[in-house]
Amino acid sequence: ASARQVNIAIIGAGGVGKCFLSQLESLAARRQNQRLVLTYIATSKKAVYSDSHSPIALDSVVSTLSSSSQAPLALPKLVDYLAASGTKTVLVDNTSSQEIADAYPSFLHRGISIVTPNKKAFSGSYKLWQDIFAAKEEGGALLYHEASCGAGLPVISTIKDLVETGDEVTKIEGVFSGTMSFLFNSFAPTSGSGGGKWSAEVAKAKELGYTEPDPRDDLNGLDVARKLTILARYAGLEVESPTSFPVQSLIPKELESVASGDEFLARLPEFDDQMEQVKAEAQKEGKVVRFVGSIDVASKQVKVGLEKFDLSHPIASLKGSDNIISFYTKRYGSNPLIIQGAGAGGDVTAMGVTSDLLKVLAQL
Ligand code: NHO
């Protein structure tokens, strides 16, 4: 292997992973990935790799993977396998696995860099967060996770830049979920009319592929809580976990334990009146309701839930499934630095991963 070669190992080939693979392939056409050699790829069921770390062809990787009879390596074995190549290596984790996130310290410790959209590592226990950054230092590895918040939007890089250049973040607020954004923009539009029943909007969002397979995974607020945990930690707060601050769930108590997502959707209309009331209360004040997250650094308050906004507020007039994130800082004063745009979807999320990979390549 040439001194400039960088090996890449990929775990996960789902919605985001497939888009990432196609972006990786198109880097070749633009001569940006000539140094990159794919030596390992796996899903939860299958893998492709060889003991000699031979290159896996990118143009046919999806079919090679689906026809493979190799099983994925257990994580400790994977760490050894990647470290044994003697070549600089980047692991791209395109899963949402907690188990893989828990193993980041062992990869980083051995000098293996990591690029990922997986929120679990950075929003798990505070101990894991500390272990990850300690292992990164010790191993001299690089670590980027832009797509863990706001998909391809430059959210993580922005907060890091603010903090590292000595600005002080005082408050962060915004809409952090593409699903929640879509739901409220259609349920309670600023025009005041046109919004359908809550249950119908949830069903529509699912049909359009905006929600998780079980919409409760979006409606419980945990996805937003994870993103806020990550940002709060970069802003300097030692948030213990995504369940250590108030998170409002939009799942009616009675439906928390129904067996399936389909049964949940079938029974959701029984609770339409509750959401209708929330919407009407906001309307009485000339406002609309939105599902937001906020971090107040001075008072160390992090919270996630419904809030009312004036129709002229940027959060109220969001479109589609866009995210909006406002950073209030000492330097920016009372006019926050605002980032807005598509916050969900395979291609934009994969872009966050691919651009992180290019940053790593530039430094290795
Ligand atoms: P999939 O489609 O379920 O694919 C997961 C892949 O990982 C599969 O190939 C599976 O076999 C593999 N896998 C899982 N566990 C494994 C294991 N233990 N070993 C080996 N392989 C394993 O998931 P996605 O949609 O492709 O997501 C991948 C990652 O990107 C997740 O961590 C997800 O949270 C993250 N991500 C996705 C999105 C998105 O739009 N799809 C976003 C951000 C991050 O900004 C987006 C977002 O937050 C969407 C959010 N729902 C919202 O705002 O509404």
Side-chain angles (χ1 to χ4, degrees), residues 55-287:
I56 302 162
L58 267 177
D59 53 3
S60 49
V61 63
V62 177
S63 60
T64 311
L65 187 59
S66 64
S67 59
S68 172
S69 52
Q70 280 178 296
L73 288 168
L75 291 169
K77 287 236 165 68
L78 179 60
V79 176
D80 289 340
Y81 167 77
L82 297 180
S85 74
T87 301
K88 292 169 194 151
T89 300
V90 187
L91 171 72
V92 179
D93 171 19
N94 283 329
T95 75
S96 57
S97 159
Q98 183 69 55
E99 189 201 350
I100 297 174
D102 289 342
Y104 284 6
S106 35
F107 286 100
L108 294 164
H109 203 259
R110 300 282 286 274
I112 297 162
S113 295
I114 297 179
V115 163
T116 186
N118 185 351
K119 303 166 194 91
K120 301 271 166 69
F122 314 96
S123 61
S125 71
Y126 194 68
K127 164 122 185 3
L128 178 59
W129 168 272
Q130 288 176 308
D131 288 351
I132 284 171
F133 287 96
K136 171 184 180 280
E137 288 305 310
E138 283 163 24
L142 299 162
L143 170 65
Y144 287 90
H145 57 100
E146 185 59 77
S148 62
C149 183
L153 299 176
V155 177
I156 302 291
S157 54
T158 297
I159 191 166
K160 280 206 223 167
D161 286 349
L162 288 169
V163 172
E164 281 167 14
T165 59
D167 199 354
E168 214 175 287
V169 178
T170 51
K171 195 175 104 178
I172 304 171
E173 107 182 321
V175 172
F176 295 85
S177 156
T179 310
M180 291 289 203
S181 181
F182 176 82
L183 282 174
F184 283 93
N185 298 341
S186 20
F187 172 65
T190 44
S191 62
S193 61
K197 290 226 183 310
W198 174 250
S199 60
E201 296 296 351
V202 175
K204 187 165 91 193
K206 181 176 154 75
E207 248 174 62
L208 290 170
Y210 288 127
T211 69
E212 298 292 319
D214 184 338
R216 284 176 294 185
D217 291 335
D218 293 298
L219 296 175
N220 65 11
L222 184 60
D223 182 67
V224 175
R226 286 191 180 282
K227 293 168 183 168
L228 285 179
T229 300
I230 300 173
L231 291 179
R233 286 172 175 175
Y234 278 118
L237 298 182
E238 291 187 13
V239 176
E240 183 44 49
S241 78
T243 52
S244 63
F245 51 85
V247 177
Q248 184 179 0
S249 167
L250 298 186
I251 303 171
K253 278 257 168 313
E254 297 85 339
L255 300 187
E256 265 168 10
S257 54
V258 298
S260 71
D262 286 338
E263 191 187 343
F264 169 74
L265 276 178
R267 290 195 49 198
L268 195 56
E270 297 166 32
F271 302 89
D272 277 340
D273 286 352
Q274 290 178 10
M275 285 301 280
E276 211 54 49
Q277 212 176 325
V278 171
K279 179 166 147 180
E281 267 167 34
Q283 262 171 352
K284 253 189 273 162
E285 298 173 36
K287 296 183 176 185

Side-chain angles (χ1 to χ4, degrees), residues 326-350:
S326 305
F327 292 99
Y328 293 81
T329 79
K330 278 246 161 76
R331 273 186 207 140
Y332 278 82
S334 52
N335 287 346
L337 185 171
I338 300 178
I339 296 170
Q340 180 179 342
D347 264 324
V348 289
T349 304

